[in-house]
Amino acid sequence: MRMLLKPDEPPAFTARNLTGTSPCVLLCEHASNRMPRCLGTLGLAAADLGRHIAYDIGAAPLAEELARHLDAPLFLTGYSRLVIDCNRPPGVPTSIPERSEDTAVPGNRDLDPPMRRLREATLFEPFHAAVTAHLDARRARARACCVIGVHSFTPVFHGQRRPWEAGVLYGAARSFALPIMEGLAALGLHVGDNEPYSIAVDEDYTVPVHGDGRGVPALLLEIRQDLLADVAAARLWAHRLAPLIARAAISQGLGASARSGGRA
């Protein structure tokens, strides 16, 4: 029987603070650049695994800080988006990319269907099943909630410099996103409204499935990676974002908590 992960390897995902008091449920779908040992580096140079193509640089520390500020549950993926992207619908070309931006991924070329299915069953499905079970349990307790994916984006994409310092991506939940965008803009930040990406049903998973598909307010936060260079930067952004998220949740009729907050 083929196995993607050996018993001594880290799990597909980590769930933290599941009893947190916040109405917000945080996801970090591109938290890690780890590779299953059996896949090596997918044919990439070690330096490529430190780039944005392998994970969202700085997103996991930011998500952890936000979970602490908000007292929110947090789900973090354990393996690189190059193995399988947990914010893409399975089966689409970007789910297991043969090329990421300008870089070919040799280990993803000409995969047979059983290997594709193995990656999905080992890494994608457990992560999203855990999120679904958590959201189902909240609904069963009549506990309203919102969903936020925590991401970062590269300052330059296909040779084009991106001017935004942060972006807020949403589908149906513009009224949830707007207070966060307005709050960041009031701090003098250049904020993208559905930039540098926009939500698409055939290219995104978290917002369409866990958010809009449930009738739950949902969005993705995108912070430019050069502004998340270390833990101090993640703390700064969490300090900025936590009170804005709490107010946005209140605007949706959700109770909100934050252990710390304020503007910075």
Side-chain angles (χ1 to χ4, degrees):
M1 180 179 177
R2 298 172 80 177
M3 293 180 60
L4 189 64
L5 300 179
K6 301 299 184 184
D8 64 332
E9 290 186 84
F13 71 95
T14 301
R16 298 181 182 166
N17 198 34
L18 294 180
T19 59
T21 59
S22 174
C24 299
V25 177
L26 304 179
L27 280 63
C28 193
E29 307 96 316
H30 303 151
S32 177
N33 61 351
R34 184 183 293 113
M35 293 284 176
R37 284 201 301 267
C38 69
L39 299 183
T41 65
L42 294 176
L44 295 169
D48 287 325
L49 300 186
R51 295 170 50 208
H52 70 276
I53 64 171
Y55 72 126
D56 279 3
I57 297 167
L62 173 58
E64 290 166 349
E65 288 294 325
L66 280 173
R68 183 178 64 82
H69 277 257
L70 295 165
D71 191 25
L74 170 61
F75 295 84
L76 303 113
T77 55
Y79 290 84
S80 173
R81 63 189 299 176
L82 292 175
V83 182
I84 188 165
D85 193 319
C86 285
N87 191 37
R88 300 288 184 268
V92 303
T94 51
S95 170
I96 302 176
E98 295 186 8
R99 176 173 291 273
S100 183
E101 194 179 345
D102 59 351
T103 302
V105 186
N108 286 348
R109 191 179 301 130
D110 300 323
L111 289 184
D112 60 34
M115 176 51 77
R116 289 181 177 274
R117 177 64 191 135
L118 182 62
R119 293 190 191 187
E120 182 181 335
T122 305
L123 300 178
F124 182 94
E125 290 179 357
F127 175 75
H128 286 292
V131 174
T132 297
H134 184 73
L135 296 175
D136 285 348
R138 283 180 170 241
R139 177 171 288 173
R141 298 195 303 270
R143 185 179 178 191
C145 69
C146 52
V147 172
I148 296 176
V150 182
H151 294 251
S152 67
F153 66 93
T154 179
V156 179
F157 187 68
H158 287 298
Q160 298 296 312
R161 184 159 295 278
R162 290 159 155 176
W164 310 282
E165 292 158 292
V168 182
L169 317 185
Y170 56 89
R174 178 171 172 77
S175 62
F176 180 41
L178 195 58
I180 299 174
M181 291 189 291
E182 290 176 342
L184 290 173
L187 296 176
L189 297 167
H190 190 173
V191 184
D193 181 343
N194 267 333
E195 297 283 1
Y197 311 102
S198 59
I199 300 297
V201 172
D202 58 349
E203 283 293 324
D204 289 271
Y205 196 89
T206 291
V207 167
V209 173
H210 296 306
D212 295 350
R214 284 177 167 264
V216 169
L219 54 80
L220 303 184
L221 294 173
E222 292 272 3
I223 308 301
R224 208 172 67 206
Q225 288 169 0
D226 58 318
L227 303 178
L228 287 174
D230 52 32
V231 173
R235 288 173 178 162
L236 171 62
W237 276 99
H239 190 64
R240 289 168 169 165
L241 286 163
L244 302 179
I245 292 169
R247 287 199 287 271
I250 290 171
S251 78
Q252 300 299 297
L254 308 173
S257 70
R259 290 176 175 171
S260 61
R263 294 186 173 186

